[in-house]
């Protein structure tokens, strides 16, 4: 919360990050930029380039990156928050703050379905979505932005419900299939109403996640046509290979791969999406908290797993968790480019990694070390308490 207050004060908050060794843009088309300096004003990126070409005077905060890598803050496209920084699924406190220490600065809810006593009547579920949206808009653990209030569809909803929700500020549907809507015809009708009023949708893909949920197969995914094919690699039980490949080929929507899914199916989805030139549709999430727990390093682990076993360059794997997700979900973070949110993660080779540099270490399957996180132009954390220690750490040299 202090982030926004500071950003709107009378004196412009000018952040200068200099001596960047490797600038990872998050943009699939230009994943590495020839730049060593970033300037942000009032939480928005103003300039990216060579220090000699950029006006760095009058900084209110200067960070010497010490030759480390700068990437956009990581986005988790699939979380199940409930209330505050608590999850009842594994009865854990501080899970969002723990993920911040894994470089995650933005989270998107796929439904607050773990809420004890979750209402399933229409007025109750609408009230809960509005409550969650408001609550997480105002509450940002460590500065992390949690886009929540992701309504779970139930039978009996009508178009006016979506109109009313949109007017109240609800912008997301949770996973279609977690409620009582389990057929493609009803799903498609409701997703269409949601889209009409600017509400983005996700569908559960694969076998049941917990007792009470059910199978969503390829036909329902394609018929419902939600904006995001949620966990195409299952959450955790995946569809048969031919169905996953067919969705990658035929769906024009985002193809989400999650940590708490089937890892073999994740690699199949990645390879198929790349073969059919849909790599720009691939986005990453954890699908946590869940039965598999909470993974503070889940997005970093996905980047290393997909890069090392999926054989994609590390700088490309990072785009899946940043620029791709921002594009598919219409977020103003995820890219290091003028006009974007000044939200960054500093990365360096983990100490003693066999990799000869950061990108090589990721391609060899090691995790990157997080050494600082900046959200909206403000330093949120310095050396991560959760990642393997970064070899070099940036330093705040003037404030
Ligand atoms: Zn799911």
């Amino acid at each position: 919360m202090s982030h926004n207050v500071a950003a709107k004060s009378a004196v412009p908050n000018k952040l200068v990050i200099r001596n960047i060794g490797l600038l990872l843009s998050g943009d699939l088309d230009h994943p590495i930029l020839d730049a060593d300096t970033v300037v942000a004003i009032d939480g928005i990126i103003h300039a990216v380039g060579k220090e000699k070409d950029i006006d760095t005077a009058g900084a209110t905060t200067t960070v010497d990156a010490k030759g480390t890598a700068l990437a956009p803050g990581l986005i988790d496209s699939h979380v199940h928050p409930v209330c505050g920084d608590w999850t009842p699924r594994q009865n854990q406190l501080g899970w969002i703050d723990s993920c911040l220490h894994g470089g995650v600065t933005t989270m998107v809810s796929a439904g607050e379905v773990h809420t004890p006593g979750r209402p399933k009547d229409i007025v109750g579920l609408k009230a809960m979505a509005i409550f969650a949206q408001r609550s997480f808009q105002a509450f940002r653990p460590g500065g992390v932005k949690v886009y929540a209030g992701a309504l779970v569809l139930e039978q009996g909803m009508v178009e006016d419900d979506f109109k009313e929700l949109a007017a109240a500020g609800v912008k997301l549907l949770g996973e279609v299939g977690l409620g009582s809507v389990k057929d493609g015809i009803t799903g498609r009708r409701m997703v269409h109403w949601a889209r009409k009023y600017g509400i983005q949708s996700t569908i559960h893909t694969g076998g049941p996640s917990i007792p009470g949920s059910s199978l969503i197969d390829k036909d329902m995914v394609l018929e419902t046509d939600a904006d995001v094919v949620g966990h195409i690699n299952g959450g955790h039980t995946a569809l048969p290979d031919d169905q996953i490949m067919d969705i990658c080929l035929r769906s024009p929507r985002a193809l989400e791969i999650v940590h708490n899914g089937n890892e073999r199916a994740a690699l199949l989805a990645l390879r198929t999406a790349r073969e059919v030139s849909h790599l720009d549709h691939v986005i990453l999430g954890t699908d946590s908290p869940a039965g598999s727990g909470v993974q503070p390093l889940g997005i970093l682990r996905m980047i290393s797993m997909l890069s090392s076993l999926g054989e994609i360059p590390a700088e490309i794997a990072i785009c899946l968790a940043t620029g791709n997700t921002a594009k598919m979900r219409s977020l103003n973070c995820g890219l290091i480019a003028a006009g974007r949110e000044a939200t960054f993660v500093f990365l360096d080779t983990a100490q003693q990694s066999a990799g000869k540099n950061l990108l090589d270490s990721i391609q060899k399957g090691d995790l990157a070390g997080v050494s600082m996180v900046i959200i909206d132009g403000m330093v949120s954390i310095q050396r991560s308490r959760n990642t393997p220690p970064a070899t070099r750490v940036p330093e705040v040299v003037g404030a």
Side-chain angles (χ1 to χ4, degrees):
M1 285 173 288
S2 59
H3 292 76
N4 285 344
V5 174
K8 293 197 171 72
S9 64
V11 181
N13 178 357
K14 182 169 180 176
L15 167 71
V16 173
I17 305 171
R18 48 182 299 277
N19 202 13
I20 297 163
L22 176 66
L23 201 147
L24 300 164
S25 71
D27 178 356
L28 208 56
D29 294 329
H30 308 95
I32 297 176
L33 298 183
D34 184 21
D36 59 16
T37 302
V38 171
V39 171
I41 295 173
D42 288 343
I44 299 294
I45 298 172
H46 186 72
V48 181
K50 293 286 193 187
E51 187 166 6
K52 63 177 168 47
D53 303 323
I54 291 180
D55 175 14
T56 57
T60 47
T61 304
T62 301
V63 175
D64 181 342
K66 298 285 180 78
T68 61
L70 186 75
L74 306 177
I75 307 169
D76 187 335
S77 170
H78 194 130
V79 295
H80 289 295
V82 163
C83 185
D85 201 355
W86 165 67
T87 170
R89 179 54 83 218
Q90 304 302 340
N91 212 2
Q92 190 171 342
L93 293 171
W95 70 276
I96 297 170
D97 186 73
S98 286
C99 294
L100 170 63
H101 282 258
V104 171
T105 53
T106 304
M107 295 178 165
V108 183
S109 175
E112 296 79 39
V113 285
H114 301 156
T115 304
R118 167 167 72 97
K120 293 178 180 165
D121 63 299
I122 291 168
V123 68
L125 65 92
K126 288 198 293 187
M128 193 179 86
I130 295 166
F131 161 75
Q133 185 274 333
R134 293 290 189 283
S135 158
F136 279 105
Q137 187 176 49
F139 175 65
R140 292 183 175 161
V144 175
K145 296 182 184 179
V146 183
Y147 293 101
L151 179 115
V152 175
L153 295 181
E154 299 285 355
Q155 293 287 350
M157 294 188 72
V158 297
E159 181 173 345
D160 270 354
D161 291 321
F162 295 87
K163 189 176 177 184
E164 186 189 348
L165 285 160
V170 170
K171 293 189 164 58
L172 294 166
L173 291 189
E175 292 172 71
V176 178
L178 295 187
S180 56
V181 174
K182 297 183 189 297
D183 67 282
I185 294 170
T186 311
R188 185 183 187 88
R189 185 169 65 237
M190 292 188 182
V191 159
H192 173 75
W193 286 332
R195 193 174 285 135
K196 178 174 171 183
Y197 296 105
I199 299 174
Q200 205 175 67
S201 53
T202 298
I203 189 164
H204 175 96
T205 307
S209 50
I210 51 172
S213 68
S214 52
L215 169 71
I216 305 287
D217 67 4
K218 168 200 77 165
D219 293 335
M220 174 152 176
V221 169
L222 292 172
E223 183 166 21
T224 302
D225 194 31
D227 297 314
V228 175
V229 178
H231 52 63
I232 189 164
N233 60 319
H236 177 277
T237 311
L239 292 174
D241 289 2
D242 59 333
Q243 294 201 26
I244 292 174
M245 292 165 76
D246 208 30
I247 293 171
C248 289
L249 186 64
R250 289 169 58 195
S251 173
R253 306 298 180 182
L255 304 169
E256 183 190 74
I257 298 176
V258 302
H259 183 275
N260 287 346
N262 176 320
E263 294 181 359
R264 192 189 62 81
L267 292 166
L268 174 71
L270 177 75
R271 292 198 180 101
T272 309
R274 185 173 47 187
E275 276 163 24
V276 301
S277 301
H278 280 173
L279 196 59
D280 59 327
H281 295 190
V282 176
I283 66 176
L284 306 186
T286 54
D287 193 4
S288 75
S292 297
V294 169
Q295 296 83 27
L297 307 184
I299 297 295
L300 286 174
R301 286 171 54 81
M302 293 288 291
I303 288 169
S304 291
M305 193 274 281
L306 295 175
S307 178
S308 59
L309 301 180
E311 295 172 338
I312 54 172
E315 64 270 25
I316 295 289
I318 287 169
C319 294
L320 309 184
T322 55
N324 275 17
T325 314
K327 183 179 73 170
M328 299 311 288
R329 288 197 171 277
S330 306
L331 300 170
N332 195 38
C333 54
L335 289 181
I336 300 184
R340 292 289 179 141
E341 290 170 14
T343 295
F344 311 105
V345 57
F346 292 75
L347 302 170
D348 199 23
T349 318
Q351 291 176 13
Q352 309 304 329
S353 168
K356 55 183 184 292
N357 54 45
L358 172 69
L359 299 178
D360 187 48
S361 73
I362 294 170
Q363 285 154 196
K364 284 186 161 73
D366 280 342
L367 298 183
V370 168
S371 51
M372 183 180 281
V373 174
I374 290 178
I375 300 179
D376 293 340
M378 309 279 285
V379 176
S380 199
I381 59 162
Q382 300 204 22
R383 190 194 277 284
S384 164
R385 67 169 186 261
N386 286 335
T387 65
T391 304
R392 296 167 295 179
V393 293
E395 208 178 308
V396 178
V397 292

